[in-house]
Amino acid sequence: MREQFHKPQDEFVAAYGGDEGVAFEPTAPQGEQEGGYEGEVGGKESEAQAFLERHSSEERKLAEDIVGAIEGISNQLESEHIVSREMAAESMIATAFAAAPTSGVEDGETSLWKSVLRGASLGARNAVKAVALTSMMSASPAFAQDYMHPSPQIQKKVDYLFGKNIFERFANKRASYKEAYTQLEMHKEEVQHRIDELNDPRPRSTAEEAHIKRVEADRDAKLAALRVERTLEKAAFEDLHTNDPTERAEYDARIAAIAAREARVVEDCEALLLAEHRKAAPQQELQDLYREIVRIEREENELVRRFYALKRSAYGSYWSRW
Amino acid sequence: MSHHPLLIVKARHVVRHSHLSNVDKQLMYERIPFLDLGMLALFIDSAEENPFALDAIVSSMKKKLDARGNLHRLHEILETEAKEIEARDSEDTDETKVESEDESKLVAH
């Protein structure tokens, strides 16, 4: 973990050389710095105006973007005490020209850039925009794209200014939680599938079928015998042709006893069939699987809790400490 | 930066419509184009989710810029950040442990 946080400083050292950064000195001739291009700038400005009018607003917008990018990178570098704004702009222009050798920008125009980016007049700035447009239009399509990329060192430093170390840590943890959650979900699905399999009626074997048929046949035989008994009791009672309440009560009791035996036969049969079904679904395995589902869901809840704690850490509580 | 212009536009939009001062907005505008893709996405994500994240990012950034390129000072700031994160992570883990124990007790009862 410490390596992770030491890395940026190592990169800074590699990129910027020493403990206090790199101090650049202007290299342009004294005349340029003192506004020696003012006369030339006036002419460029009118040329620029004419040039701009010949191009679409989209093209002009792109040119503006290029100039804006130079200024943005320059300001950034200066504010980060990496290099002065002027020097940053100068090196970027040189890089851009090197990247687009067919741009047709002459040495004189390059120095014009320098003077403007050292704080020359607004008119000169407009002229520079026209030069930028000229460069952009005559260069390859990749020119603007390549040109507008900051160096990896600058990008890294900006990333760290925005808290890259914090966000990276957050992103890595978030990804690991997400991965763990996905794995748990997949495992849960497998377990659930197995539970469904065990609970689903499966085709019975011939022996099982035969056993069930025997149980059912036994039940039907017993019920048939009891029906015969009931019929005989009824016939015998009717043959008596009696209204004696005692006789009637005894008959009702015998019929009730038969009904009770019939109910018991049915119950016994159902119990036997149920036992057969339970034998088919291994109860111990099912219980283990249900326990596994509960365990998985607990782990998932734990991951969700950690995720939100992390979120609070990265987005809320952590930041509020600054 | 030209590889993800839409995200840059979106990030700028987030900053533009934030409650930050103009000076602080400028501070962000200048640097947003140089963020890499992953950082840019995280920046938008966090800023949209929690408006106060922007204040914190600006505050953190100013502290680093105040180092005025002094690597020793930057080193100290990053060390502090690392310690802050570790401390915060420990607190979160402890909180989670306590919550889990409470839950276990409830289940046991």
Side-chain angles (χ1 to χ4, degrees):
Chain A
M1 185 181 294
R2 294 188 66 79
E3 282 177 11
Q4 185 188 344
F5 289 102
H6 282 172
K7 199 177 171 191
Q9 287 105 47
D10 297 340
E11 286 166 359
F12 291 162
V13 172
Y16 310 116
D19 281 338
E20 300 300 326
V22 180
F24 286 95
E25 291 297 326
T27 54
Q30 190 67 18
E32 287 182 27
Q33 292 182 46
E34 291 170 356
Y37 280 83
E38 282 303 316
E40 189 180 346
V41 163
K44 286 285 176 194
E45 195 170 359
S46 56
E47 279 177 33
Q49 192 59 35
F51 190 88
L52 288 169
E53 284 168 5
R54 289 202 299 273
H55 292 86
S56 70
S57 58
E58 278 181 12
E59 290 164 341
R60 274 182 275 170
K61 176 71 173 58
L62 185 52
E64 295 269 351
D65 285 348
I66 292 172
V67 173
I70 296 170
E71 289 175 343
I73 294 170
S74 306
N75 290 335
Q76 179 212 5
L77 289 170
E78 184 171 71
S79 69
E80 289 169 11
H81 297 268
I82 297 169
V83 62
S84 72
R85 186 174 66 93
E86 295 84 357
M87 288 306 299
E90 193 172 318
S91 65
M92 278 188 288
I93 291 162
T95 306
F97 289 165
T102 57
S103 65
V105 177
E106 296 167 2
D107 287 346
E109 287 170 326
T110 309
S111 60
L112 181 64
W113 280 86
K114 292 177 189 173
S115 68
V116 169
L117 290 162
R118 286 192 181 106
S121 69
L122 183 64
R125 188 174 287 271
N126 287 336
V128 164
K129 287 180 182 176
V131 176
L133 184 58
T134 312
S135 306
M136 184 271 297
M137 299 303 252
S138 56
S140 67
F143 170 68
Q145 197 173 35
D146 293 341
Y147 184 33
M148 292 168 78
H149 272 300
S151 74
Q153 289 87 351
I154 293 172
Q155 186 163 308
K156 274 184 199 300
K157 188 164 184 183
V158 179
D159 287 350
Y160 279 101
L161 285 173
F162 272 83
K164 182 185 175 76
N165 46 346
I166 298 156
F167 284 118
E168 260 184 354
R169 188 187 174 86
F170 170 71
N172 290 339
K173 273 202 165 186
R174 182 164 67 170
S176 72
Y177 288 164
K178 199 175 171 187
E179 173 65 21
Y181 193 91
T182 307
Q183 293 291 334
L184 281 173
E185 276 292 287
M186 284 166 64
H187 182 43
K188 191 163 86 171
E189 247 177 57
E190 285 169 3
V191 172
Q192 191 58 54
H193 182 67
R194 178 65 185 146
I195 289 172
D196 292 344
E197 265 182 358
L198 291 176
N199 280 329
D200 273 355
R202 62 180 171 79
R204 293 189 181 110
S205 68
T206 313
E208 285 168 345
E209 285 288 349
H211 177 72
I212 288 168
K213 276 184 182 166
R214 273 199 305 278
V215 169
E216 286 173 344
D218 184 50
R219 176 197 61 192
D220 293 344
K222 284 176 180 170
L223 288 176
L226 286 168
R227 267 200 304 278
V228 170
E229 204 172 321
R230 183 197 289 263
T231 306
L232 290 173
E233 284 289 351
K234 192 179 176 189
F237 181 70
E238 282 171 357
D239 284 349
L240 287 175
H241 299 290
T242 179
N243 287 325
D244 181 11
T246 308
E247 293 278 359
R248 178 73 199 184
E250 283 175 2
Y251 166 72
D252 286 344
R254 282 195 298 276
I255 293 295
I258 291 168
R261 283 160 65 196
E262 282 174 340
R264 199 159 51 245
V265 166
V266 171
E267 276 174 20
D268 288 349
C269 179
E270 280 177 357
L272 281 169
L273 292 175
L274 189 62
E276 190 64 26
H277 175 73
R278 281 186 178 156
K279 203 161 64 182
Q283 291 305 297
Q284 187 57 48
E285 189 181 352
L286 269 176
Q287 280 177 13
D288 290 346
L289 290 171
Y290 283 128
R291 269 197 288 272
E292 181 66 359
I293 290 277
V294 170
R295 189 194 66 76
I296 291 168
E297 286 179 347
R298 229 176 235 170
E299 269 193 48
E300 284 180 342
N301 289 339
E302 178 67 16
L303 279 172
V304 169
R305 188 168 29 231
R306 282 189 193 173
F307 177 80
Y308 281 105
L310 178 72
K311 208 167 179 177
R312 284 199 304 274
S313 169
Y315 291 165
S317 306
Y318 175 77
W319 288 113
S320 68
R321 291 169 174 227
W322 288 78
Chain B
M1 61 184 167
S2 50
H3 292 305
H4 40 80
L6 285 177
L7 280 183
I8 291 172
V9 168
K10 197 170 179 187
R12 281 180 167 155
H13 178 84
V14 168
V15 173
R16 188 179 305 117
H17 293 281
S18 72
H19 59 279
L20 294 176
S21 69
N22 286 337
V23 173
D24 288 346
K25 282 180 182 174
Q26 193 56 37
L27 199 71
M28 306 291 264
Y29 286 147
E30 286 171 2
R31 290 161 180 80
I32 281 172
F34 308 116
L35 284 169
D36 71 19
L37 185 60
M39 263 304 293
L40 199 51
L42 274 174
F43 170 74
I44 293 167
D45 189 22
S46 61
E48 281 185 338
E49 196 164 325
N50 180 359
F52 295 106
L54 274 179
D55 296 290
I57 290 169
V58 168
S59 170
S60 167
M61 186 185 286
K62 281 178 177 171
K63 191 179 274 188
K64 288 167 189 166
L65 291 176
D66 279 347
R68 304 185 70 80
N70 183 310
L71 285 177
H72 180 67
R73 179 73 193 114
L74 283 171
H75 184 101
E76 283 178 349
I77 292 169
L78 289 171
E79 284 267 334
T80 309
E81 281 185 354
K83 283 177 186 166
E84 289 267 356
I85 294 168
E86 281 171 13
R88 182 67 207 167
D89 274 2
S90 303
E91 280 177 25
D92 288 336
T93 310
D94 291 345
E95 278 174 24
T96 305
K97 271 184 192 165
V98 170
E99 284 171 15
S100 298
E101 282 168 11
D102 289 348
E103 196 179 74
S104 303
K105 283 176 191 168
L106 282 174
V107 170
H109 283 99

